[in-house]
Amino acid sequence: MTLGIDDVKAIAHLARIAIDEETLPTHVKNLSSVLALADQLKATDTDGVEPMAHPLDAVQRLRDDVVTESDQREKFQSIAPAVQDGLYLVPKVVE
Amino acid sequence: MHDKTLAELSRLLAEGSTTSVELTRHFLDRIAAHNDSLNALITVTADSALAAAEAADAQRAAGNAGPLCGVPFVHKDIFCTDGVRTSCASKMLDNFIAPYDATVVSKLSEAGMVCLGKANMDEFAMGSSNESSYYGAVKNPWNPDCVPGGSSGGSAALVAAGLAPAATGTDTGGSIRQPSAFCGITGIKPTYGRVSRYGMIAFASSLDQGGPMARSAEDCALLLQAMAGFDERDSTSVERPVEDYSASLGDSIEGLRIGLPEEYFGEGLDPAVAETVRAAVAELEKLGAVVKKISLPKQALGIPAYYIVAPAEASSNLSRFDGVRFGHRCDAPADLEDLYKRSRAEGFGEEVQRRIMVGAYVLSAGYYDAYYLKAQKIRRLIRDEFLEAFNEVDVIAGPTTPTTAFALGAKTDDPVAMYLNDIYTITANLAGLPGVSLPCGFVNDMPVGLQLLSGHFTEARLLNVAHRYQQVTDWHRRMPAAYQ
Amino acid sequence: MQWETVIGLEIHAQLSSQSKIFSGSAIAFGAEPNTQANAVDLGMPGVLPVLNKAVLAMAVKFGLATGAQIGRTSVFARKNYFYPDLPKGYQISQMDLPIVGPGEVEITLEDGSSKIVRLTRAHLEEDAGKSLHEDYSGMSGIDLNRAGTPLLEIVSEPDMRSAKEAVAYARTIHSLVRYIGICDGNMQEGSFRCDANVSVRLKGEEEYGTRTEIKNVNSFRFLERAINFEVERQIDVLEAGKSVVQETRLYDADLDETRSMRSKEEANDYRYFPDPDLLPVVIDDAFIDSLRSTLPELPAARRARFISELGLSAEDAGTLTADRELADYFEAAMCGGKVKAKLAANWVIVELTGRLNKENLSLADSPVDAGALGQLLQRISDNTISGKIAKQVFDAMWAGEGSADEIIEAKGLVQITDTSAIEAMCDEVIAANPSQVEQYRGGKDKLLGFFVGQVMKASGGKANPAQLNEILRKKLQG
């Protein structure tokens, strides 16, 4: 798979990563080479093979419906970049 | 003191020949003397270490000390430590004081261990050379021009250099075993689900697994005993009793069936490394093991499958780093998009950005089936091939890495060349298998690692084989001259 | 041109668990911002989700109540997108293998006819937090208390053909989820939210038209108005020769219109994939059977029983069974059959509900419980008091003056059924109004009411009305 500059821009947007125009060609080259590596899988026949998301055939364990957590807002917000009145602040959200 | 194994230090503590405070001071002094050149630790927690050491000595005096009580060690900086910066070697988390302990952290402190600080690593555990760290590369103690391996490069280097008798690591594609091999120490990646992932900052959730790195298999057995076990806070943690890893260390390996996959000795393997590994296998034969040639043709698919699955999971796992609740936030964001894009561009290094983008791509509309789903199918083929092999053999042996530690900067411009370094380690993660790397000789004065893999939840057997080997060899006792 | 409306609904029902779907945080409404958001809810590094058993059970109950297939193996997937109220940068939801598969519900329309609406699926997911748009130093504030609150998203097939049908369907689901105790149904607090997919097509056409999705509808009344507005809008667009744009539109109740949500316009690529932090959820027969046995009589069955066994009208049965608590109240007020169903239904629907509405109280807050009302209704049934006096007693009960019997006793309200006593009162009234008596006897029948009123007044309202009428009529005829 060879990517173009527009592909990389679209991926970077999807991943919310700002990319400098001048580094774009390097990204194009490196991402293309990683995808070329990934393309090696295409030759292998996987018809009828069930995809495997986890290495063990385990099933989800369930938690009892009990409140186990108490308020730690002060501690959590002491490491937050911007807070006011207990809220996390972000640039204006437009809906 | 610093040339002793953890097991030896544990015995010295038990017989009262030393104290935890004495050991802790000694290793803190070692760190002060050598960390500048090695760059193996990002954070040193001297004060809390000494306090923990005093508490451990008091506990011992009160007569309720376990084998790890008072033993100093270092955590890889991927494990969250309450009140202590947990950076994951990223600018993104340079200011992140974790507000809770990882389960592994709680377990080791409950065992009375003394944490000296946080080890350097590849940023977000993405790398095989420890060169992607925001805090700079770690040097290999055997040769400062070489990499220590990665991603647990700081952990491996500091144990090899005797700055601590042990360290924790994590292994997503070889990140415990590869640096253990490059630095000449012993490290085990347990079965997926054996060690809790809670509080261990996620890279690829279905592959990540924490484990110990130390001087010997005996040390790893003691550490893994304390780290392993079911954790109700981790859905992927396995509810299954933990074996007594130390009890079976000395068992005979007479009749043990060892498989040598031809694919692990093929193209790309340094012939001198191959020879060293074959000699180690011959040593195991002398101990009664039976060696058998096997073939694992699907192994070659491991690298491409891994570089789809791991980035896919990582791209999603790392979305939480958005500059809103913690971590790096860019200055004066113009709007929401700007906040996200600049915070993430500034906070993440190049390799992390690359993997996030690869992951976003392979999951995106139109590519999901061809890449992600395909890789998940290949993953099953690889696992099934292993499970079939373990019907024939007990343990699979081979080199941990194709070469010894390479030079700093040698592969930083070519991500794919860097990835190929994990060719022998990566499939164990895809299949969830346990694997150990132990020192088995030197090539050009650089350590060579022997990798042993076995079936799910057979860590005790791996440690047993490794220990028997270490009883008849002394590669694991060698220390780099500069740090003796 | 004859247009046909096609509507499908996506309903988000907040499940009434104690703790969140993947963490042990509380989910009480109205807590101080971010005081119910723990490390897992905040998406802190390294933390992991564990599924709440009660939440899973609630989803299965919904599936059983709608005759749906229960997903024996269901999988949680990540829906990836960036938004400040979404702490992890992904929402844990279900995609390919939902917990509840296809099912159906029967809805009753205003004209009494009924219709089957097919359910596509229902799946579990976590709610997001809230963005507060008041000005915080020129920024928006984020409260993540709601993040991780369990939701059941119930998706219907596009089976509804009018806003009224859509509302009837939404009400049916609303009643059902409250019946089986999985959702409190509070629309103001956002516990029950409806998104409507609306399109129009020419009558007789097979293909569906391009649809829009309407969000932000927080009452049934607004749901109806929003759909009607949107249908008109789409018809106008099509009749003007233009095409409908597939988009999300926000309903503005103040302006009674829908408008395009600019921020959501961008085509999203959610990159769904199985959440590697969670394992497949496997449900066995024992779990399903244990839940089946806890299901109450469902509204449709109860409604049918009220009509066939209790002889209630379809309308009354519908009103009573729309709300499980109301139906329970009604049945309790019948006191095991001592009170006739029709009488109990009238009192519950007219007097009780009217009073509650007037005072803006919920049934749970009613000062008169079902047992107390039942006692009052028994006193009507056994002729101790008249229906009219009963209202007076009910008022006193409402004011907390005691039980029906206590009030009747204290106020001396026992109905006068002694024929001689009533006759005496009638004689007095007849004697006191000779001219009216003359007129009555002259053919002015309507004056009977006047006499009844006078005697009632004299009896303090306590005379048995039926006896009084009969006696008066006889005496006036002379």
Side-chain angles (χ1 to χ4, degrees):
Chain A
M1 187 76 206
T2 308
L3 297 173
I5 284 199
D6 286 343
D7 295 323
V8 172
K9 280 184 176 168
I11 300 167
H13 174 67
L14 207 52
R16 297 297 187 278
I17 294 174
I19 287 191
D20 292 340
E21 285 291 329
E22 61 261 39
T23 62
L24 263 174
T26 315
H27 282 290
V28 170
K29 182 181 116 235
N30 286 333
L31 289 178
S32 295
S33 71
V34 176
L35 289 170
L37 181 73
D39 281 335
Q40 290 175 13
L41 295 185
K42 292 197 169 148
T44 304
D45 181 13
T46 52
D47 279 357
V49 179
E50 189 72 16
M52 188 178 91
H54 289 278
L56 305 173
D57 297 318
V59 300
Q60 180 61 36
R61 195 182 62 257
L62 304 172
R63 179 176 65 77
D64 285 338
D65 181 24
V66 181
V67 175
T68 52
E69 299 291 326
S70 50
D71 173 26
Q72 293 190 78
R73 184 175 80 181
E74 205 174 319
K75 188 173 189 185
F76 292 142
Q77 295 199 338
S78 68
I79 50 168
V83 289
Q84 186 183 322
D85 304 343
L87 299 161
Y88 294 97
L89 298 189
V90 296
K92 275 269 175 229
V93 177
V94 190
E95 258 178 18
Chain B
M1 288 293 186
H2 54 269
D3 58 350
K4 299 216 170 349
T5 66
L6 182 150
E8 287 161 356
L9 295 175
S10 172
R11 286 190 280 272
L12 291 179
L13 284 165
E15 67 193 33
S17 312
T18 186
T19 64
S20 179
V21 169
E22 191 185 352
L23 282 181
T24 301
R25 288 223 166 90
H26 176 73
F27 285 107
L28 285 173
D29 288 347
R30 296 273 303 165
I31 291 169
H34 297 291
N35 194 45
D36 281 354
S37 61
L38 276 178
N39 197 27
L41 285 93
I42 293 172
T43 303
V44 180
T45 52
D47 292 347
S48 64
L50 286 167
E54 279 170 23
D57 285 335
Q59 201 179 328
R60 189 170 292 280
N64 46 16
L68 295 175
C69 184
V71 178
F73 79 112
V74 174
H75 268 304
K76 184 177 183 179
D77 206 15
I78 198 169
F79 289 100
C80 286
T81 40
D82 196 352
V84 176
R85 175 175 63 177
T86 301
S87 73
C88 238
S90 179
K91 181 180 177 184
M92 182 59 86
L93 291 179
D94 184 45
N95 60 3
F96 180 67
I97 309 297
Y100 43 81
D101 276 336
T103 298
V104 163
V105 171
S106 316
K107 278 177 162 267
L108 293 187
S109 46
E110 277 159 25
M113 291 195 79
V114 175
C115 180
L116 303 174
K118 308 293 292 287
N120 204 342
M121 54 184 279
D122 276 300
E123 184 183 6
F124 283 102
M126 297 177 192
S128 310
S129 68
N130 215 120
E131 292 166 294
S132 72
S133 169
Y134 172 62
Y135 302 94
V138 176
K139 308 291 191 311
N140 191 313
W142 295 91
N143 179 347
D145 296 328
C146 287
V147 303
S151 67
S152 312
S155 299
L158 71 91
V159 171
L163 305 195
T168 54
T170 60
D171 191 317
T172 306
S175 284
I176 285 176
R177 292 161 288 157
Q178 187 254 20
S180 292
F182 278 10
C183 292
I185 66 163
T186 306
I188 181 166
K189 170 204 128 41
T191 306
Y192 181 80
R194 181 70 292 179
V195 170
S196 169
R197 295 188 297 114
Y198 189 87
M200 190 178 103
I201 299 177
F203 160 15
S205 310
S206 76
L207 303 162
D208 294 343
Q209 187 61 199
M213 299 167 78
R215 311 198 74 83
S216 70
E218 187 185 15
D219 293 358
C220 286
L222 287 168
L223 287 162
L224 184 57
Q225 201 73 49
M227 291 171 77
F230 170 66
D231 180 6
E232 59 181 22
R233 291 185 296 179
D234 174 1
S235 294
T236 60
S237 159
V238 176
E239 251 175 310
R240 178 188 174 115
V242 178
E243 289 173 274
D244 185 338
Y245 300 122
S246 297
S248 51
L249 280 176
D251 288 359
S252 161
I253 60 165
E254 184 76 44
L256 180 88
R257 299 168 301 170
I258 296 180
L260 291 188
E262 54 179 306
E263 292 79 7
Y264 285 17
F265 291 89
E267 200 189 332
L269 176 62
D270 177 341
V273 170
E275 198 184 315
T276 310
V277 169
R278 284 188 198 282
V281 172
E283 202 66 52
L284 291 171
E285 271 186 296
K286 278 193 223 160
L287 291 167
V290 183
V291 174
K292 192 176 165 182
K293 282 209 163 63
I294 59 169
S295 178
L296 301 170
K298 299 282 192 296
Q299 294 292 306
L301 301 170
I303 294 258
Y306 177 89
Y307 280 97
I308 293 168
V309 173
E313 293 183 7
S315 71
S316 177
N317 282 335
L318 271 62
S319 292
R320 69 190 60 203
F321 302 104
D322 59 3
V324 176
R325 298 164 316 287
F326 47 78
H328 178 73
R329 180 183 185 125
C330 67
D331 272 339
D335 55 25
L336 211 47
E337 288 290 287
D338 188 40
L339 167 71
Y340 291 146
K341 289 184 173 175
R342 266 201 299 134
S343 298
R344 289 164 62 80
E346 294 166 6
F348 293 137
E350 197 186 320
E351 181 61 24
V352 173
Q353 291 187 23
R354 177 154 50 240
R355 296 203 195 184
I356 290 174
M357 288 196 279
V358 168
Y361 185 76
V362 298
L363 289 174
S364 64
Y367 299 100
Y368 180 86
D369 287 2
Y371 286 110
Y372 181 76
L373 213 56
K374 182 89 179 176
Q376 296 285 48
K377 291 177 179 178
I378 299 283
R379 194 174 175 185
R380 180 176 298 277
L381 295 179
I382 290 171
R383 185 194 67 166
D384 290 353
E385 182 180 80
F386 266 127
L387 296 186
E388 218 167 287
F390 286 124
N391 290 328
E392 306 290 316
V393 298
D394 302 309
V395 167
I396 290 171
T400 308
T401 57
T403 63
T404 57
F406 48 87
L408 281 157
K411 304 187 185 204
T412 41
D413 291 338
D414 186 351
V416 171
M418 185 75 89
Y419 299 169
L420 291 175
N421 216 264
D422 297 330
I423 188 155
Y424 305 133
T425 50
I426 229 159
T427 48
N429 298 83
L430 290 168
L433 300 172
V436 66
S437 177
L438 60 155
C440 68
F442 289 83
V443 168
N444 295 330
D445 299 326
M446 294 303 286
V448 174
L450 166 71
Q451 176 178 243
L452 302 173
L453 304 174
S454 62
H456 294 132
F457 302 105
T458 57
E459 288 82 0
R461 170 172 286 157
L462 285 183
L463 292 166
N464 162 224
V465 178
H467 179 68
R468 291 302 303 238
Y469 177 81
Q470 290 181 338
Q471 281 183 317
V472 296
T473 57
D474 70 349
W475 305 114
H476 63 292
R477 303 303 310 229
R478 308 281 178 94
M479 281 190 76
Y483 299 94
Q484 274 166 7
Chain C
M1 278 180 278
Q2 271 276 53
W3 295 96
E4 182 178 50
T5 305
V6 175
I7 304 159
L9 292 191
E10 286 169 19
I11 292 173
H12 287 87
Q14 179 185 316
L15 299 175
S16 345
S17 55
Q18 299 299 308
S19 63
K20 292 187 176 177
I21 181 168
F22 297 118
S23 86
S25 292
I27 51 177
F29 182 80
E32 281 292 300
N34 291 309
T35 55
Q36 290 183 159
N38 76 351
V40 172
D41 314 319
L42 292 171
M44 288 269 173
V47 298
L48 297 167
V50 183
L51 180 61
N52 183 334
K53 184 176 185 176
V55 165
L56 180 68
M58 289 182 200
V60 171
K61 277 172 91 167
F62 179 81
L64 292 172
T66 52
Q69 295 166 20
I70 306 299
R72 295 310 178 105
T73 299
S74 67
V75 168
F76 283 97
R78 293 184 181 178
K79 179 181 183 180
N80 294 283
Y81 65 97
F82 286 88
Y83 208 66
D85 64 13
L86 189 69
K88 299 185 294 295
Y90 58 84
Q91 179 194 29
I92 305 177
S93 180
Q94 297 191 301
M95 185 63 178
D96 288 339
L97 293 169
I99 179 72
V100 177
E104 59 181 45
V105 291
E106 185 178 5
I107 63 171
T108 304
L109 305 172
E110 276 177 358
D111 64 3
S113 66
S114 64
K115 170 172 181 163
I116 297 290
V117 174
R118 292 167 302 154
L119 301 179
T120 315
R121 59 186 277 156
H123 65 255
L124 287 170
E125 62 184 27
E126 57 179 350
D127 206 346
K130 276 182 184 159
S131 306
L132 304 172
H133 305 296
E134 294 88 18
D135 194 29
Y136 297 98
S137 318
M139 307 190 101
S140 288
I142 307 294
D143 174 10
L144 296 170
N145 279 348
R146 206 179 63 182
T149 298
L151 298 178
L152 185 68
E153 179 172 339
I154 303 157
V155 183
S156 84
E157 291 290 315
D159 283 352
M160 284 138 306
R161 293 292 172 268
S162 68
K164 285 209 184 312
E165 282 187 20
V167 170
Y169 164 75
R171 282 187 185 279
T172 303
I173 297 292
H174 186 251
S175 150
L176 186 63
V177 293
R178 296 174 67 208
Y179 251 77
I180 59 177
I182 65 168
C183 171
D184 69 18
N186 191 322
M187 296 180 81
Q188 296 310 311
E189 292 178 5
S191 303
F192 190 89
R193 314 199 280 268
C194 302
D195 298 338
N197 287 308
V198 178
S199 65
V200 297
R201 63 180 170 189
L202 282 176
K203 256 215 153 75
E205 250 179 45
E206 289 277 317
E207 293 281 301
Y208 292 127
T210 305
R211 65 165 199 255
T212 58
E213 185 180 7
I214 310 172
K215 285 190 181 289
N216 198 33
V217 187
N218 64 2
S219 78
F220 295 123
R221 193 164 58 97
F222 290 158
L223 177 64
E224 185 169 344
R225 285 164 60 176
I227 292 172
N228 283 332
F229 173 87
E230 182 59 16
V231 167
E232 289 305 315
R233 189 191 69 85
Q234 289 188 13
I235 291 174
D236 287 349
V237 167
L238 294 171
E239 289 188 342
K242 293 184 245 171
S243 26
V244 172
V245 178
Q246 184 167 348
E247 62 182 355
T248 301
R249 298 180 70 85
L250 214 59
Y251 178 66
D252 185 327
D254 295 334
L255 301 174
D256 188 23
E257 63 174 32
T258 66
R259 61 165 189 273
S260 184
M261 276 176 83
R262 279 179 297 125
S263 63
K264 299 252 173 175
E265 243 176 68
E266 184 187 335
N268 271 312
D269 184 347
Y270 291 123
R271 290 157 287 145
Y272 279 98
F273 75 107
D275 189 329
D277 288 332
L278 291 160
L279 298 166
V281 181
V282 175
I283 294 174
D284 60 17
D285 287 339
F287 186 67
I288 293 177
D289 290 344
S290 71
L291 292 170
R292 199 190 308 274
S293 65
T294 67
L295 280 184
E297 184 183 19
L298 297 176
R302 201 171 199 183
R303 181 170 171 276
R305 178 169 62 83
F306 281 7
I307 295 169
S308 66
E309 287 181 18
L310 302 180
L312 295 189
S313 70
E315 194 189 342
D316 284 358
T319 306
L320 289 170
T321 55
D323 182 281
R324 182 179 171 183
E325 282 70 37
L326 194 66
D328 288 348
Y329 189 107
F330 158 73
E331 290 205 76
M334 282 172 64
C335 295
K338 288 185 200 137
V339 176
K340 283 207 168 63
K342 184 72 197 157
L343 178 67
N346 274 338
W347 271 80
V348 169
I349 294 170
V350 181
E351 302 301 331
L352 175 77
T353 309
R355 193 65 183 257
L356 290 172
N357 287 346
K358 195 172 135 198
E359 300 193 12
N360 213 357
L361 289 175
S362 73
L363 184 58
D365 300 329
S366 170
V368 177
D369 67 24
L373 180 67
Q375 189 186 64
L376 174 65
L377 300 183
Q378 282 183 66
R379 296 294 88 83
I380 300 174
S381 304
D382 65 15
N383 278 331
T384 305
I385 54 172
S386 67
K388 194 167 176 186
I389 290 291
K391 288 179 191 175
Q392 198 183 321
V393 178
F394 183 72
D395 285 344
M397 289 165 71
W398 195 273
E401 292 173 30
S403 72
D405 284 348
E406 285 163 1
I407 291 163
I408 292 166
E409 169 75 29
K411 298 198 173 184
L413 297 175
V414 176
Q415 184 163 250
I416 300 166
T417 51
D418 177 349
T419 314
S420 56
I422 297 174
E423 280 181 341
M425 287 188 281
C426 289
D427 289 341
E428 270 179 42
V429 168
I430 287 169
N433 298 284
S435 65
Q436 281 87 346
V437 173
E438 206 167 310
Q439 287 176 39
Y440 179 85
R441 288 179 177 156
K444 208 164 177 189
D445 291 355
K446 281 181 186 163
L447 274 172
L448 179 65
F450 164 78
F451 290 106
V452 171
Q454 291 296 310
V455 180
M456 260 307 174
K457 200 172 161 189
S459 76
K462 293 185 287 185
N464 178 300
Q467 282 173 290
L468 168 60
N469 265 293
E470 197 186 316
I471 292 168
L472 255 182
R473 200 173 274 124
K474 268 186 200 156
K475 285 194 184 287
L476 284 170
Q477 279 164 1

